[in-house]
Every structure is written in C-alpha cells, then in structure tokens.
Amino acid sequence: MSHPRDPVHGTPAACRAFLASPEANAKDAGEAPHARACAACAAALARRQRLIGALRRTPTPPAALATREFLAGIQERIVAGVEAASTLAPHIAGPVEAPAAPLQAVLDDQLACTLATPPASPGEVRWQGVRRAVIHDIAIRRAARIRITVWVSLAGAAAAALFLVLGPDVDRVATPKIVFADLISAPAGDFTVIRRGANR
Amino acid sequence: MRLVCNSVAHRALCALTLVVAAALAPITVAVAQADEFAPTATLQTLDQAQRSQDYTVVQIRRFVTPAAAGVAASVTSVRERLEVAANGTAKPSFALTFLGVEGEPTGSPLHLKWQQAYARHAARFFGHGSFRVRNLTVANANYTMHDFGAVTRVGRSARRLVVFPTSVDKSIWLVEIDDATAVNLYAAEFDSNLTLLSEVEAVSFVDSVGGFTPYASTATTVADFAAGKTAMGDPAGLVEPALTATSEYRLDQVEVQNDPLNGSWTMTLTYTDGIDQFVVTQSPGTPDAFAALPGKVAGSTVIGRFRDAAMSALVFWEGGVSFQVAGRGSLRRLDDLAKDVYLQALSDN
C-alpha cells in the first residue's frame, strides 16, 4: 500500500536524502520534520524499526533439521557427488592390490641377484687385524697420557724446588704494618702536663 | 730532603734574626754588640749556675695552647714562686709554690684546678717545663749559643742569648741570663716557624733562699732500665728502647712510680739531647685502650698519635703494656721511635 506524498517534502529526492541521513537512523527519527510531513517516509521508518527488531532475535530452526536422518541424507548426497565427479575416489575407496609382477622381473638380473644375496662375512683373519689395530690405537693414546703426566709432574716438582730455594724464608716472620691513628686530644701523660698544665 | 732542610734552616735563621731584632730596643746596637763582644755566658755557665746557685724567684709561667681546627690559641698565665737550694748536682732541691692565675680571683674553679695541678706536678714543671742544661757534653754537640747583648730584667743587668739547635726539628730558646748569678730570668721557646710554645718570665729575684720544704716526688729515680724493671717486680712486656731514629739523645733519667689508688706501676724513661727531652712511659698490666675502636681486630698494629705545634704524643699497647712516647711537636722522628719500640715489643712477645 502506498502512502500519499507531501507535495513539498514528498519528492523522491527529498525522501531518499532523508532516509539516508543520520537523522533517519536516530532513535527519535519519527519526530523529524520530514517524517511528520511525509507519510511514506514515516511508514518506511516504521518498517525499518520492525525489521531491526526481527533481526535482533535469533530464529529457532525447525526440529526436522536436527534429526539424524536429515544429516545422513546430506552426507550421502555429498559422497555421491564426489564419486560421480572424481577419478581418484574409486582408488582411494577400493582395496589395496598386490604388485602385478615380482621385483626381479623389473630389475637388472645382476642387480636383482645382488640385492637378493646377503653380504659375505670378512673372515677371521681380517677380524683379527681389525682387533690388533684397535688395541694398537688404544696403546698409543695411553702412552701419550702417561708421557704428559710425567712431564707435568716433573715441571711441578721443579717449580716447587725453585720456590723452596728462592722463595721467602718461612721461618722469618713478616714485619707487621703499623698504622697511625690521629687523636683529637692529647692523651694523659707527662708532656700533656708540661704543656697544658694538667692531663686534658 | 737536603734541599728542604736547607731551606727550612735558612728560613728559621732569617726569621730568628727578625724576632730577636724585634725584641730588642736598639736593634743596630744589639747586632753591633754581638759582633764586638764575645759571649759572656755559655752553656757551661748555665750548667754551673744550676749546680751551685741558690735563689728565690717569683715568675709567671705561660702555658700556650696552639690553635687547632676550630679552636683558637689560648694562653694561661700562672704566677708561681720557685725556691732553689743548690746541691752540686744538676737536680737541686726545690719548692715550687702556686700563687695564682693571672686575671682569676682566688678560689675560682680555674684557680683551684691549677692549684691542684701544681700540687701534683710541680716536679714536672720545674724539671721539664723550661730551659735547663740537662747534659752539658751532649748539649754542646747539639746546640749553639748566640749572644744578643745586654738587657735589664727585674731591675737586674742580664744578657740576652739565643740557644739554637743544630737540627731543625727542635725548639729554639731565647733566654735572658742574670749577669751576676747566671740564673735564667727569662725563657721563651719557639719552634722553627717561630711560634711561641712556652714562656717563663721572672718578676722578682733574690739570689738567696730561706728555709723551705723541698718538693718530695712520689716517683723513685733508679739507675737504669734493668733496675727499674726489678723495682716494679719484673713485669713482662717492658721494652728498653733502642734509639735508632733519635741517636743524639741519651738516657737522662729512669723513674718508677706506683699509683696508690690502684697499685699500678709506671716506668718513665727520659731522654735528652742536652736541652730538649722526650719520654717513653710504660705501664704494665693495663688494658688495650684501642680494643673498642671500630676496625680494630686482634693482632692489628695501631699507634694513636696526637700532634700539635707544642707536643707529640704517641700511644700504643702490646703484650699487656701501655706505651707512650711523648716529646715536642716538631720532633717528628718520634713516630719512627714509636714504631721501633712497638716492633721490639712485638718481637719480644
């Protein structure tokens, strides 16, 4: 139903300008001069208010949407669509198959034989040689440690001997350092009496 | 060091000339007389007068306290009567009587304090408080005497003399000697900066003495350090000082004294270079006076030192004995002597 427009305030341009202005979005938009004068804009403001109120309320969904069957139907439709459109889906969905041919059939004969054959043991002679080499290496390192220890000990003994010979005589007591503390008044004694007349 | 000594000696000699000239009325006449006349008094003359001349003199003794930080210098003038009966020795019989403090009414607290001081310490005032020739031989080696002409003192004809030390760290003496008796009528002591340290001025003099009761000292004079130690009961910790830093001084006197109040002993060793003196006092059985000092720890070596222009006093404690080395303020070698005595005490203990 259309409302009559005011011939002064009811021009389409004036109505558009009013509805887009902040004045129309205020709480008291219905009290605006244009709204009072233009019934169409007043009706539009009323609809706007009703719509705002409706949008603020969360609608309650229908109970049928929450059922198990409804959700299962949605999943089936999704799977059917994937199966119909994808080339990989059948492979993923299907079972794992065994290789079509043995490994040897696709490799070089010599390589396949080598891979299939376990490696041979080095032999007892070689193992003894490895053992001797390891023991020899350990012996060398031990000798080096003993050599270093002996030289360090000799150097320490030499330093101690030098200190004992050339160092301070431990039997002689070091001269104590005497410090002077200045007094603010003369101590009692003969010279204080001679100079001051009495002990002060 | 030599340069410093030379400059100080030169300055002291120049200043001495100015002081003596200012003290004389006819300045040029006094100087001319010094050139024209040989000295009529020598140290030997003074020494002889001490041994043989009886006299009675009323004199004013001025105790000068040098200025210190925040404290002005002060002078206390005390009137005293000295009666001397010579006995042929350098230590005659005497009586020193307190007469009053100049400017103080009789009976005032200051008057009573000085009266008590004279009653206790008259021997020190007479023996150590003024100019005396204590050892003629050593004095001749350490001092020179200069004659600055004739003066009049207490209505008597006298001779003004300056006794000048050969070392710059000792006092200079200006003395006026009676022509007839060679008794000292005036003595003023100056340091090398010509600061007045003490003064004794006669106001009346009679060359005889009446009957008097000689002053009886409570101290006992002994022959030497060993005798003094024996008299004290051989206490541990006493030290006989070795005079390394003060080699021109000789041991003059050893006294031991027992305090009747607490029974404690004190040994006083007096050393002289002929005129100047210093003392080493040892008191066994005394507590460590420095024990309560902050920072003092067991075994630390501290010497307490008081020094002004007039006196030096060094105190320390070791092995249960309290030591004091005291002398004139200019004699800074007493620091080394105190250290030597301390080290001796440490090594003995």
Side-chain angles (χ1 to χ4, degrees):
Chain A
M1 154 181 160
S2 63
H3 294 273
R5 293 184 183 272
D6 184 81
V8 176
H9 296 280
T11 60
C15 293
R16 284 196 297 275
F18 170 73
L19 293 174
S21 69
E23 188 181 15
N25 294 316
K27 283 186 178 178
D28 55 351
E31 302 299 323
H34 182 92
R36 287 187 178 186
C38 177
C41 288
L45 288 176
R47 287 195 298 276
R48 181 182 287 182
Q49 291 299 326
R50 285 196 300 274
L51 184 58
I52 289 173
L55 289 175
R56 283 178 179 161
R57 293 189 300 272
T58 303
T60 304
L65 295 180
T67 59
R68 190 185 182 89
E69 294 76 16
F70 181 77
L71 294 176
I74 295 175
Q75 290 169 356
E76 288 174 357
R77 285 195 296 275
I78 292 173
V79 171
V82 170
E83 288 176 347
S86 173
T87 58
L88 187 58
H91 294 286
I92 295 175
V96 176
E97 296 175 352
L103 184 62
Q104 290 80 352
V106 299
L107 296 175
D108 181 67
D109 290 342
Q110 187 176 0
L111 180 59
C113 182
T114 303
L115 289 174
T117 307
S121 173
E124 186 62 25
V125 175
R126 289 190 180 181
W127 278 121
Q128 290 297 328
V130 170
R131 179 171 175 273
R132 282 197 297 274
V134 170
I135 293 173
H136 178 67
D137 184 60
I138 293 173
I140 289 174
R141 294 184 181 183
R142 184 185 299 164
R145 279 202 303 275
I146 293 174
R147 202 164 41 246
I148 291 172
T149 303
V150 168
W151 279 112
V152 170
S153 302
L154 287 174
L162 281 174
F163 179 79
L164 290 173
V165 172
L166 301 177
D169 187 354
V170 296
D171 293 332
R172 188 174 65 242
V173 177
T175 301
K177 185 175 183 298
I178 297 175
V179 295
F180 288 92
D182 289 325
L183 307 176
I184 59 174
S185 63
D190 289 358
F191 250 81
T192 304
V193 171
I194 293 167
R195 288 307 199 190
R196 306 281 192 264
N199 287 320
R200 304 186 184 181
Chain B
M1 190 59 174
R2 185 179 302 170
L3 183 62
V4 170
C5 289
N6 285 341
S7 66
V8 172
H10 184 259
R11 186 183 66 192
L13 183 58
C14 290
L16 170 66
T17 305
L18 290 173
V19 163
V20 175
L24 294 175
I27 297 173
T28 54
V29 172
V31 173
Q33 285 182 344
D35 291 334
E36 293 177 6
F37 298 100
T40 57
T42 62
L43 292 175
Q44 184 174 7
T45 309
L46 304 181
D47 179 67
Q48 189 59 36
Q50 290 171 189
R51 293 170 183 271
S52 60
Q53 181 64 48
D54 296 341
Y55 61 94
T56 302
V57 60
V58 176
Q59 54 194 15
I60 294 177
R61 185 182 298 270
R62 294 186 176 88
F63 295 87
V64 179
T65 302
V71 180
S74 64
V75 178
T76 303
S77 301
V78 179
R79 185 178 290 260
E80 61 187 33
R81 181 174 64 246
L82 174 63
E83 298 164 283
V84 176
N87 55 14
T89 69
K91 296 179 173 58
S93 300
F94 73 97
L96 189 63
T97 307
F98 170 77
L99 298 180
V101 180
E102 298 294 287
E104 281 290 320
T106 304
S108 70
L110 189 63
H111 178 103
L112 294 175
K113 187 177 78 173
W114 279 99
Q115 191 173 44
Q116 292 169 4
Y118 267 75
R120 291 186 59 190
H121 304 299
R124 292 194 178 94
F125 295 149
F126 172 72
H128 309 291
S130 185
F131 179 85
R132 294 182 66 81
V133 178
R134 296 176 172 85
N135 185 315
L136 179 62
T137 305
V138 183
N140 280 325
N142 294 315
Y143 291 85
T144 57
M145 181 176 277
H146 305 269
D147 191 327
F148 276 85
V151 294
T152 300
R153 177 67 66 178
V154 292
R156 300 174 67 90
S157 173
R159 203 76 188 173
R160 180 164 289 166
L161 305 167
V162 170
V163 181
F164 203 85
T166 55
S167 175
V168 295
D169 58 354
K170 299 179 187 178
S171 294
I172 303 166
W173 294 89
L174 175 66
V175 297
E176 292 177 359
I177 307 301
D178 180 50
D179 275 346
T181 61
V183 171
N184 193 358
L185 300 179
Y186 175 83
E189 181 186 359
F190 300 90
D191 64 4
S192 60
N193 295 319
L194 297 183
T195 302
L196 180 66
L197 303 177
S198 69
E199 189 181 34
V200 179
E201 177 188 7
V203 295
S204 74
F205 178 81
V206 175
D207 58 359
S208 63
V209 65
F212 67 91
T213 303
Y215 180 84
S217 174
T218 56
T220 302
T221 302
V222 294
D224 52 20
F225 173 82
K229 189 175 179 183
T230 304
M232 296 167 66
D234 276 319
L238 296 183
V239 171
E240 184 172 14
L243 303 182
T244 306
T246 53
S247 55
E248 75 270 31
Y249 285 78
R250 302 285 184 271
L251 181 63
D252 182 41
Q253 181 176 272
V254 181
E255 291 177 299
V256 294
Q257 187 169 14
N258 184 265
D259 190 332
L261 292 178
N262 55 20
S264 64
W265 284 95
T266 300
M267 175 188 285
T268 302
L269 301 120
T270 306
Y271 297 85
T272 182
D273 66 348
I275 291 173
D276 189 29
Q277 286 180 308
F278 68 84
V279 296
V280 178
T281 306
Q282 305 179 47
S283 303
T286 53
D288 185 359
F290 300 116
L293 282 178
K296 175 77 163 74
V297 297
S300 64
T301 50
V302 177
I303 296 179
R305 176 177 57 194
F306 175 82
R307 173 165 287 130
D308 63 11
M311 63 176 289
S312 302
L314 301 111
V315 293
F316 52 96
W317 183 94
E318 177 58 34
V321 179
S322 174
F323 295 84
Q324 182 176 139
V325 177
R328 272 150 176 105
S330 57
L331 194 62
R332 293 176 183 266
R333 286 178 283 160
L334 293 180
D335 292 6
D336 296 329
L337 175 64
K339 287 176 69 174
D340 291 342
V341 174
Y342 203 159
L343 290 174
Q344 274 183 266
L346 286 170
S347 64
D348 291 346
N349 292 326

